[in-house]
Amino acid sequence: MTDKNDTPVGRTDAKENARSRMVDALIALIAEGSDINHDRVAERAGIGRRTVYRYFPDRESLMQSVWERVTGLAGPSVTFPRSEEEMLSSLPAIYEGFDRIAPLATVIRSTPQGRAVRMSERKRRTESYRAAAADATQDLSEEDQLLATAMLQVLHTTPWLEMRDHWGLTGAQMAKACGWAMRTLLADLRARKGRPLEDVV
C-alpha cells in the first residue's frame, strides 16, 4: 500500500513514529532542565545519533520541532498572526490552549531550554507581528513602530504564566484582559496620528 506520493505507508508511519519519539525525548529533557544536544536526544529516544541528525540537522531544528509540538497541542489557532484581526480573534484560543497544556506551557515559559525553543522562532515571530501591526503603526517613527509592535506581541501571548501564577486567572479571563489592553493600544496608536509614544493623546 502506498500513499499519494508513492511512499509506502508503513515506511511513512515508521518515520512519523521515529520523529515523534525524538520530539518526546526532547520535551522530556527540557522538562528535566537537561542540556539539549543530538547525543542526548538519541540516547533518550533509543534512536541512532545519525538518525537524529537526519531529521534535525542542527540545534535550531531541534528547538523548532518542540515549538511545533507545543503549538500543535495547544490548538490550530495558536499561530503567529498576519493581521490585526487575527491578533485579536486568536486570543481566546491561545490562552485557553495554554491552559490545556499547562505543565508543558509552563516548562516552555520558565526554563532556559524553553527560552531556546521560543528563540528558535524569533525571526518568524517578529516578521509576523510587524505585518499584523503595520496598519496601526504606519505613521509612527521607526523606533516607535518597534516599541508599539513589541508591546502588542507581548500582550498577545506572553502574560499567560504570570497571570496564571500571580492572579489565578483562567485562559478565558486572560484573553478578555489582554484583548481589552490591545484594543486600547490600537485605538491610541490610530488616534495619535504619528505623534511620539511619550505624548499623551
Side-chain angles (χ1 to χ4, degrees), residues 5-6 15 56-57 59 94 120 125 136 138 141 147 152 158 190:
N5 296 315
D6 295 327
K15 286 182 177 180
F56 308 110
R59 181 179 168 83
I94 288 171
S120 73
R125 180 182 293 107
Q138 62 183 332
S141 69
L147 298 178
L152 288 166
T158 308
R190 289 195 164 87

Side-chain angles (χ1 to χ4, degrees), residues 19 22-24 26-27 30 36-38 41 49-69 116-121:
R19 190 179 196 284
M22 287 182 273
V23 177
D24 286 345
L26 265 167
I27 290 172
I30 289 171
I36 302 300
N37 59 47
H38 289 74
V41 173
R49 182 174 183 270
R50 289 176 62 183
T51 301
V52 178
Y53 271 103
R54 189 163 64 245
Y55 281 81
F56 308 110
D58 52 32
R59 181 179 168 83
E60 193 84 349
S61 58
L62 284 173
M63 297 297 103
Q64 287 171 345
S65 72
V66 176
W67 179 260
E68 290 166 8
R69 170 70 69 83
V117 170
R118 297 195 316 276
M119 290 300 290
S120 73
E121 294 293 324

Side-chain angles (χ1 to χ4, degrees), residues 96-110:
E96 291 174 34
F98 288 169
D99 275 359
R100 278 196 304 277
I101 60 164
L104 180 54
T106 299
V107 166
I108 296 300
R109 288 286 174 196
S110 63

Side-chain angles (χ1 to χ4, degrees), residues 131-142:
D135 184 63
T137 62
Q138 62 183 332
D139 295 328
L140 298 176
S141 69
E142 189 173 327

